[in-house]
Amino acid sequence: MEPASLRLCRSLLFLPAANARAIDKARELDADMVVLDLEDSVKEEDKGAARDAAVAAVALGFGGRPVAIRVNATSSTHYGADVVAVRRSAADHVVLAKTETPKQAADAAWLMGKPVLAMIETPRGVIDAAAIAPATRGLIAGTNDLAATMGVPAEGGRRGLVYALQRIVLAARSAGVAAFDGVYNKLEADDGLAAECEQGRLYGFDGKSVIHPSQIGPVNLAFAPSEEELEAAERLIAAATGGAERHDGRMIETLHVEQARGLLAKARR
């Protein structure tokens, strides 16, 4: 997918590559992208089988939806074998865990022959996110690892991550690539998920990582423009004649027209 198309993705469904049942079920779900995981969700003894399963699953496809494989960090003993597996796969993207330097992202893209989505989940990754982003097609906030490495207490919610999350979005926007929020750890689609989605969209994220089928619908809805937003966007585009002008009691110009068109594209309209 091209960078502009990636920004239309609302939900990234992460699945353990070793879980055949979950992978089969994913083919019937409405996630905008499927990410087959070789990293944290896979036991050490299952890493080899997970690689083979990921390659086979990608070959069968997911109904035309983009699919990525998340590999272990470059410092991992599993990284070399992951590179070989992903390179021979039909995956659209590679998700690189714990990305901390532009070189790691660029080398991963070259070695595997796939565009990279970089997981930003360490303090160094956040600090250097603006340098990393141009070597990628998008950044994904790894909120769990980031909170752990920063020492953010779990009971504090995401308040301690606000600066890091906004820095990730700024880095992505400066490079013209996609930005995706991290996972919500509870499996239920509850008020906590809704609050995180609202927060993530207000920060500027294009979509959100999900880890359970029940989360897909609410995330897709939250990161899609509302009917009111779409109607307002259509009115604005129809009224715009170029340059600065008054519309619905406010001043609009070309950038507002571009934003409106972006909303319509997000809604596939």
Side-chain angles (χ1 to χ4, degrees):
M1 296 180 74
E2 295 301 316
S5 298
L6 266 174
R7 292 197 59 186
L8 301 181
C9 288
R10 303 157 299 176
S11 53
L12 277 58
L13 175 61
F14 280 73
L15 301 170
N19 190 332
R21 182 173 175 272
I23 289 172
D24 286 341
K25 184 175 182 180
R27 293 191 170 92
E28 304 170 359
L29 300 175
D30 292 328
D32 289 336
M33 178 183 288
V34 174
V35 181
L36 303 177
D37 186 31
L38 302 178
E39 199 217 6
D40 286 346
S41 67
V42 179
K43 297 178 182 178
E44 286 291 312
E45 60 269 26
D46 294 335
K47 295 284 190 181
R51 288 186 202 102
D52 293 339
V55 173
V58 174
L60 290 175
F62 288 84
R65 283 169 295 165
V67 59
I69 298 177
R70 177 166 76 165
V71 299
N72 290 273
T74 58
S75 59
S76 168
T77 57
H78 300 289
Y79 181 67
D82 289 350
V83 167
V84 174
V86 175
R87 186 173 182 85
R88 66 186 175 90
S89 80
D92 299 291
H93 297 83
V94 57
V95 175
L96 182 62
K98 298 177 178 64
T99 310
E100 293 190 321
T101 69
K103 187 176 187 304
Q104 288 175 339
D107 286 352
W110 181 77
L111 286 169
M112 289 178 262
K114 315 284 184 187
V116 168
L117 299 174
M119 297 284 300
I120 305 298
E121 45 194 334
T122 66
R124 183 180 177 189
V126 170
I127 290 169
D128 290 339
I132 294 167
T136 76
R137 290 283 179 84
L139 304 180
I140 304 173
T143 45
N144 285 332
D145 282 272
L146 186 55
T149 54
M150 288 176 60
V152 175
E155 60 271 18
R158 305 203 321 167
R159 286 176 294 175
L161 298 178
V162 171
Y163 171 73
L165 293 174
Q166 292 182 327
R167 187 162 179 146
I168 290 169
V169 174
L170 285 168
R173 294 295 170 260
S174 72
V177 300
F180 299 104
D181 200 356
V183 299
Y184 179 66
N185 289 318
K186 292 184 180 179
L187 300 182
E188 298 84 4
D190 58 11
D191 291 342
L193 174 63
E196 276 199 14
C197 287
E198 180 181 10
Q199 181 190 55
R201 191 175 178 206
L202 287 173
Y203 287 171
F205 283 106
D206 296 302
K208 187 172 180 65
S209 305
V210 300
I211 54 175
H212 192 272
S214 68
Q215 299 176 342
I216 296 171
V219 167
N220 283 348
L221 182 63
F223 282 91
S226 67
E227 282 302 317
E228 291 79 7
E229 288 176 301
L230 293 173
E231 290 170 4
E234 289 172 340
R235 289 197 306 271
L236 188 151
I237 292 170
T241 59
E245 54 193 317
R246 185 182 180 89
H247 171 71
D248 279 355
R250 66 187 180 107
M251 191 64 68
I252 64 168
E253 51 187 292
T254 302
L255 72 88
H256 299 107
V257 176
E258 292 173 352
Q259 288 176 329
R261 287 175 176 154
L263 281 176
L264 296 181
K266 188 86 172 179
R268 280 72 169 175
R269 284 167 65 160

